[in-house]
Amino acid sequence: MKIAVFLPNWLGDLVMATPMLRAVRRHFGPETRIVGIMRPYLAEVLSGTDWLDEQWYFNPHAEQRRLRHLAVVQRLRREEFDLALLLPNSLRTAVVAWLGGVKERIGYARYGRGPLLTRKLDSPRAHGRMIDYPMVDYYLKLGAAAGCAPESPRLELATIEADERSADAVWENLGLRTDGRVVIFNSSGAYGAAKLWPMEHFGELARRVVDELDHDVLVMCGPKERDLARDIVRLSDRPRVFSMADQPMGIGTAKACIRRGRLAVSTDSGPRHVAAAFGKPVITMYGPMLPIWSQNPTVHAVDLLLDLECVGCQNRVCPLGHHRCMQDISVDQVYAEVARLVGECRAACAA
């Protein structure tokens, strides 16, 4: 049997799909060939896991023709897949699977793609309206529709030797502590500016973590966030605050670095889920998105959210112009949670 899994386009969503991938592999067994179809920039996310036999890369906007619709459709036709699981809700993925001749196509009937699916799932609803729903459970329902047994919602990632070697070099280059006393900061927000916590807040928080908790701080960043990471280091005015701005930028390296941290302080973006997948406590500042999308009982999570009418607006930029949902989450509030978690970690290590 051959299964094609169209994977989510965002880092965090892909991490939240790992329980479903685990369920699919467990149900169909090692004799089934499972191919993940994904964005090229996510190539390293699942390295070290064994759920996929192969990864194909698909980007409809790419300059290289081999990554576009026609190339993927032709490849699907040549391989003659039996089943496609469509995790993105887009019409595009359903069209590609249908044109690719996949015999059975399972997905949520959204955006007019219902006629292209052989097995349709309805989005979670209450009183006739769609409701916010944990993404891990949303994806697991697709696995259940394919016959998979109930699976733990535990997020899971792994690293490979090359990732760890790269992280070794980062630790050596920056002079980070090797005894676990490193707090990971993630200030990114690829979704949009509305998800960002002020860099001045991050800088002050970093200073307090170094001065009061005797931990190093490592600020993660992507290629477009180098200046933001450098600004946080500058604003902290502490030599034990470091950034990844001038270090290797691969997702594999980021995974290995996050895995070495004691805990993570993050905006609601991809690295937050990476930390959770490695079992790290995660403090997340929420604003335009509600925590329910990331809700997972297996994650040691502290979700900080203000009681404002506009919270959960889902806008990429604050339409009201004040950005209070993030601006007003205080450094004191976040620091109190960091100090509590560091204390718990110290107590557990001493036990």
Side-chain angles (χ1 to χ4, degrees):
M1 186 174 186
K2 296 180 182 178
I3 299 175
V5 183
F6 285 77
L7 293 166
N9 299 330
W10 296 92
L11 171 59
D13 289 349
L14 178 52
V15 178
M16 288 190 283
T18 57
M20 190 227 68
L21 290 173
R22 192 168 59 234
V24 170
R25 174 55 76 190
R26 182 170 293 165
H27 176 71
F28 288 97
E31 66 281 358
T32 295
R33 182 163 177 252
I34 303 176
V35 173
I37 300 175
M38 63 205 303
R39 289 289 193 264
Y41 88 98
L42 297 173
E44 298 178 358
V45 176
L46 300 177
S47 296
T49 65
D50 59 2
W51 309 309
L52 301 178
D53 295 294
E54 193 175 350
Q55 294 182 173
W56 293 1
Y57 304 117
F58 173 43
N59 181 358
H61 309 295
E63 293 182 3
Q64 307 98 311
R65 291 186 178 182
R66 61 185 176 80
L67 298 176
R68 293 188 202 164
H69 299 89
L70 183 58
V72 176
V73 166
Q74 291 174 336
R75 199 171 181 185
L76 286 169
R77 283 195 168 277
R78 285 196 301 270
E79 297 276 352
E80 297 183 345
F81 280 85
D82 302 288
L83 170 65
L85 293 169
L86 310 179
L87 277 66
N89 292 315
S90 66
L91 175 62
R92 175 184 290 120
T93 53
V95 170
V96 170
W98 176 66
L99 290 175
V102 182
K103 298 180 182 67
E104 187 170 7
R105 303 173 296 279
I106 301 176
Y108 285 93
R110 299 183 63 181
Y111 302 108
R113 69 181 191 172
L116 300 176
L117 304 175
T118 59
R119 198 176 308 177
K120 309 168 192 176
L121 279 71
D122 292 324
S123 297
R125 293 179 177 272
H127 309 295
R129 299 182 61 182
M130 285 182 57
I131 58 172
D132 297 330
Y133 197 75
M135 290 305 297
V136 169
D137 297 333
Y138 189 80
Y139 294 143
L140 281 172
K141 284 181 178 292
L142 287 171
C148 299
E151 177 63 48
S152 165
R154 176 179 58 86
L155 306 181
E156 184 179 355
L157 289 176
T159 58
I160 60 176
E161 185 179 349
D163 302 334
E164 296 297 337
R165 285 200 306 268
S166 184
D168 287 341
V170 171
W171 249 244
E172 183 175 352
N173 291 342
L174 297 178
L176 285 156
R177 301 177 200 247
T178 57
D179 60 1
R181 285 185 294 161
V182 177
V183 174
I184 301 295
F185 280 14
N186 168 49
S187 60
S188 64
Y191 177 82
K195 281 191 175 186
L196 298 179
W197 198 48
M199 64 180 178
E200 295 82 4
H201 289 12
F202 268 115
E204 182 182 345
L205 180 65
R207 185 163 58 249
R208 294 185 64 179
V209 168
V210 170
D211 291 350
E212 300 174 40
L213 299 177
D214 193 25
H215 277 57
D216 290 353
V217 171
L218 178 60
V219 183
M220 307 302 296
C221 63
K224 297 180 180 179
E225 298 143 2
R226 287 186 170 99
D227 288 342
L228 177 58
R230 292 188 184 108
D231 284 340
I232 292 171
V233 173
R234 176 181 55 81
L235 289 165
S236 74
D237 193 29
R238 292 296 184 272
R240 303 307 305 176
V241 178
F242 309 92
S243 87
M244 291 292 291
D246 300 301
Q247 302 299 317
M249 283 288 164
I251 287 179
T253 301
K255 287 194 302 179
C257 289
I258 291 170
R259 187 189 67 78
R260 297 177 185 208
R262 176 155 282 175
L263 59 93
V265 179
S266 180
T267 54
D268 176 25
S269 60
R272 174 233 184 264
H273 303 283
V274 173
F278 284 112
K280 303 299 177 180
V282 185
I283 300 166
T284 308
M285 291 79 78
Y286 285 94
M289 294 293 184
L290 297 175
I292 189 170
W293 296 100
S294 305
Q295 198 172 72
N296 190 325
T298 71
V299 175
H300 191 174
V302 177
D303 298 333
L304 300 180
L305 183 75
L306 297 179
D307 185 15
L308 299 172
E309 287 186 6
C310 57
V311 159
C313 70
Q314 300 186 30
N315 286 298
R316 294 176 184 267
V317 178
C318 177
L320 303 177
H322 55 59
H323 202 207
R324 284 188 57 202
C325 64
M326 299 298 286
Q327 294 271 3
D328 290 0
I329 298 176
S330 71
V331 175
D332 285 342
Q333 188 178 0
V334 180
Y335 175 78
E337 297 298 342
V338 175
R340 180 178 63 81
L341 291 175
V342 166
E344 289 178 2
C345 290
R346 283 172 168 164
C349 291

